[in-house]
Amino acid sequence: VLPALPMVAHAQTAEPGDSPYGPLSDAPDENGLLLPEGFTSRVVATAGEPVGPTDHRWHAFPDGAACFPTDDGGWIYVCNSEVTPLFANDAGGVGAIRFDEAGEVVDAYPILTGSTSNCAGGPTPPGTSLSCEEPPDERGRLWECDPTGEAEPVVHEAMGLWRREAAAVDPEGEVVYMTEDDGIGLLYRYTPDAYPDLSSGLLEAAIVDGEGNVTWSEVPDPSAASEPTRSQVPGAERFDGGEGIWYHDGSIFFTTKGDDRVHRIDLAAQRHEVIWDGDPDELGVEGAVLSGG
């Protein structure tokens, strides 16, 4: 049994505010969604079925996704497939759907195959898509994919191997922050040798003291050949099931599903705080709106 981990910063109460889109409807639409006035929804793709007018069948277990603008005014929707070898031999991968300016589906295709349990990831400023593997053997890789499918995907094992969840790029600091989907997982920082090329660089893990101050320590063996990366940095902060992560205005924000929290690190000050604590024991089930279940 693991000992209880102390909070690294005081949890602040989140105050609900008005949505810029107006209140949600009281009645669900035909797809079961509650939307603000003026919004509509439609089913774009269903696992196992062809996408729109194409012959590309959409993948099972859709997970992390992102959208990328195209030169013709449309966009490309990129989505991971979190299929594991427990369900299929050819597990995982990433698919893409291209929309025209009017929002109509004009193409669909795979941009990564032969990978395993692709969970989340994130977009990069140059316009590529990062896809993170979360396999049962805990040796998940990070792939960099071209949303158009024209360039071959590239695997970046220098960025470490673990049960990966998501990645966020800080374009100012020119580094990548990454979460680990494990109850005692770490928060990682990768500094490329020649940003935005991610093929080589320095992998570090976050250490947070009792006052919320953050420092970073090198992961000696990103390949995890001898022991998991989360066991290689003495004193590294343990996060209870790292999930989504995002960079915004000088900070990174990320969630942990084991304790239903939202975290923030001010990158200039290198300070960590919990900005949302969704403990259902304190808030009640309805209050824990960000609960992962």
Side-chain angles (χ1 to χ4, degrees):
V1 178
L2 293 172
L5 298 176
M7 289 180 59
V8 296
H10 177 68
Q12 300 180 4
T13 301
E15 297 294 336
D18 294 332
S19 166
Y21 307 108
L24 296 178
S25 170
D26 293 330
D29 70 0
E30 59 183 3
N31 295 314
L33 301 178
L34 298 177
L35 302 173
E37 183 178 356
F39 281 70
T40 59
S41 71
R42 60 176 168 146
V43 176
V44 173
T46 301
E49 299 181 8
V51 179
T54 76
D55 59 4
H56 176 72
R57 293 186 179 274
W58 199 235
H59 52 257
F61 295 4
D63 207 286
C67 288
F68 300 84
T70 56
D71 293 338
D72 59 3
W75 66 92
I76 300 172
Y77 170 74
V78 169
C79 178
N80 293 327
S81 173
E82 197 181 359
V83 178
T84 73
L86 298 175
F87 296 92
N89 291 327
D90 185 15
V94 184
I97 303 175
R98 184 161 186 154
F99 297 83
D100 64 16
E101 187 177 13
E104 298 299 321
V105 174
V106 295
D107 201 3
Y109 45 87
I111 62 172
L112 174 62
T113 59
S115 57
T116 301
S117 190
N118 294 77
C119 194
T124 71
T128 60
S129 179
L130 303 180
S131 180
C132 297
E133 293 180 317
E134 189 186 339
D137 66 2
E138 300 190 2
R139 296 182 62 79
R141 301 164 292 179
L142 184 144
W143 293 83
E144 186 172 13
C145 306
D146 174 13
T148 69
E150 296 175 2
E152 290 293 318
V154 178
V155 64
H156 296 302
E157 294 197 7
M159 300 182 75
L161 302 177
W162 64 82
R163 290 188 65 200
R164 293 179 161 279
E165 182 67 30
V169 180
D170 168 9
E172 302 297 326
E174 299 186 344
V175 297
V176 184
Y177 294 91
M178 300 165 287
T179 54
E180 181 173 16
D181 191 353
D182 190 279
I184 52 171
L186 308 186
L187 177 70
Y188 300 90
R189 179 177 75 176
Y190 182 76
T191 305
D193 291 332
Y195 178 87
D197 181 356
L198 304 179
S199 58
S200 65
L202 173 65
L203 180 67
E204 300 170 292
I207 298 174
V208 186
D209 69 15
E211 301 300 319
N213 298 301
V214 181
T215 55
W216 300 86
S217 182
E218 181 177 0
V219 176
D221 178 20
S223 72
S226 58
E227 60 180 337
T229 53
R230 64 176 177 272
S231 303
Q232 297 182 31
V233 180
E237 185 66 27
R238 304 291 176 172
F239 293 97
D240 193 355
E243 287 288 321
I245 186 168
W246 195 254
Y247 170 86
H248 176 69
D249 195 23
S251 293
I252 54 168
F253 300 83
F254 61 99
T255 61
T256 47
K257 65 182 178 184
D259 49 16
D260 304 320
R261 289 176 174 171
V262 180
H263 306 254
R264 171 180 178 252
I265 293 180
D266 181 321
L267 299 177
Q270 287 297 309
R271 291 276 299 174
H272 167 268
E273 62 179 334
V274 176
I275 61 173
W276 172 262
D277 188 351
D279 185 353
D281 292 335
E282 295 184 9
L283 298 173
V285 175
E286 293 183 358
V289 294
L290 298 183
S291 172

